[in-house]
Amino acid sequence: MSLNIKDDTASLTYDAIVIGSGISGGWAAKELCEQGLKTLVLERGRNVEHNKDYPTATTPPWEFRYRGRINRQQQEENPLITKAAGYSDDCDHFFVKDADHPYVQEKPFDWIRGYQVGGKSLTWGRATQRWSEFEFTAPERFGYGIGWPIGYDDVAPWYSHVEKFIGICGNKDGLEAMPDGEFMKPFDMNAPLTHIKQKLNENYTDRHLVHARWAHLTDPQQVHLDQGRGKCQARNMCMRGCPFGGYFSSVSSTLPWAKKTGNLTIRPHSVVHSIIYDEKLGKASGVRVIDANTKEVIEFKARIIFLNAAALNSNLVLLNSKSNRFPNGLGNDSGLLGKYIAFHNYRASVNADIDGFLDKYYFGRNPTDLILVNFRNLHKQETDFFGGYTTFMNAYRDQHPDETSAGQIGGQYKDDLCEPGNWHVFAYLQGETVPKESNHVRLSEDKKDQWGIPLLVTSVSYDDNDERMVKDFHTQTSEMLEKAGCKNITTYNNKQAPGLDIHEMGGVRMGKDPKTSLLNQWNQLHHCKNVFVTDGACMASTGNQSPSILYMALTARAATYAVSEMKKGNL
């Protein structure tokens, strides 16, 4: 569906403004528009429409000059963004160019961004497991963070609301560390993983290898067909944009749905400078925008503002939203805006070989992995590190002849190319990190971008807690794979900088006390009630589960509350 992008400024006043069009921004737009609000979505990047703007979605590999691989010029011109998981020549158009969007790294930080309508929802990992009650309560229980103002029961119905609409494949496993949701059938578990799962059950009582939950349509329901989406074809080319709508993105799902209401306006090429605070009204009155192309300054007005620019950009916008009332950034009476930035620990992996199963294969290119559910620090603090970790795991077969093949040329070698090789297993860490006040972002005092907005300074780093978690992951995962009969087990620590995990969180965290947080239980700024922040910036801690579906659930919850409060005259 065409979104009929409105790039003029004839209408400057709306009921609601949403800053950002990615995973959470798309949900804000859907919920606000469905509930009758004339809504403007501001996107700093270009327009992208479903299918129309997926130029490589069906291009075969041999039509790419380097078979989709990154060439030397791309890497030299973009040393940062080319590190991103999934970045390649077939999808580089969904990622920023380094030179266009600079920032200041006080400590090494790889800030991965995609500026277009749909944002990073076009290139996200698509893992969608629910947070458990353990994750909401652990920081306060074990003393490494503040208490969340909400718990699992507050979010559970909104998880269901989101899951039914976007489509999640998975299995109901009855595990308290990874709650069940609204699922369609999962992809098959291949033979070696089924074997490993069995061996774990035989050797442990707390190690559960299960189908992960992923935003892929394996059995589309009517609501998905009504969105114009179809079944996932197991191509595993998601980063290019899916012409079938097989995985969830704002572009294929929430934004077109919002457009159907007649209440949506999207304005691309709109770089948000700041949120405007009205001293007389005691609340925000609108958003100041710089046109990305003309550099024209435009001010849009609205009664409700949702900030969904992705965690660090949301921090930047608030820090730059200064007024007499808020000289240090909108809502920043606590002085904590931009602080307690956290992320996920992706440094560790384990690889192994497993014999046998040579008569077994798998269907298509499965775009999902399994999860070994977190078993650390649940009911009690039992390790020398805080937090828990999710383990993603999969098994695959070589796609080339092994060393027993007769030479590297000739008929026998050609025949061997048609047969898959041996099985291998890999596992990688997604670990919780501890939010610390010293991990922060702030505005540069002397450097600005091409639109005259101060550059963001990132000062974020790992600590000893993260290193102890990596060590435990290596030890435990190696032991489990060994008991499952794997061999040639190797561990690896990539020592990547924060940011490359693309799960940055915090800086505008939720909390019970305005002295220690920026947002209340409804994702409202404590001191500016008509501004809501529901992307990763709102997180009080990182948990170990993938966060994107929590952002969506929090957004739907906050939007419904905002509309209710507006109708009561409270906003």
Side-chain angles (χ1 to χ4, degrees), residues 41-57:
V41 173
L42 297 170
E43 168 56 51
R44 67 180 294 152
R46 65 190 174 94
N47 183 36
V48 168
E49 294 184 13
H50 181 52
N51 267 341
K52 174 185 174 183
D53 295 307
Y54 305 158
T56 63

Side-chain angles (χ1 to χ4, degrees), residues 292-309:
N293 297 319
T294 68
K295 309 292 172 59
E296 178 188 6
V297 178
I298 309 164
E299 293 186 356
F300 295 97
K301 298 185 181 300
R303 293 176 62 186
I304 295 173
I305 297 168
F306 268 70
L307 180 52
N308 301 94

Side-chain angles (χ1 to χ4, degrees), residues 345-349 428-429 462 470 474 491-497 500:
N345 185 349
Y346 268 83
R347 285 191 162 193
S349 60
Y428 60 96
L429 170 74
Y462 286 90
V470 166
H474 280 155
T491 62
Y492 184 60
N493 183 348
N494 61 32
K495 297 188 181 298
Q496 68 185 37
L500 200 56

Side-chain angles (χ1 to χ4, degrees), residues 366-379:
N366 186 344
T368 71
D369 295 328
L370 299 193
I371 280 183
L372 180 66
V373 181
N374 178 45
F375 54 90
R376 285 307 200 202
N377 301 326
L378 296 172
H379 293 282

Side-chain angles (χ1 to χ4, degrees), residues 459-473:
S459 186
V460 182
S461 60
Y462 286 90
D463 60 19
D464 290 341
N465 193 77
D466 304 313
E467 296 303 328
R468 290 192 291 271
M469 179 181 287
V470 166
K471 182 178 179 181
D472 186 75
F473 170 83

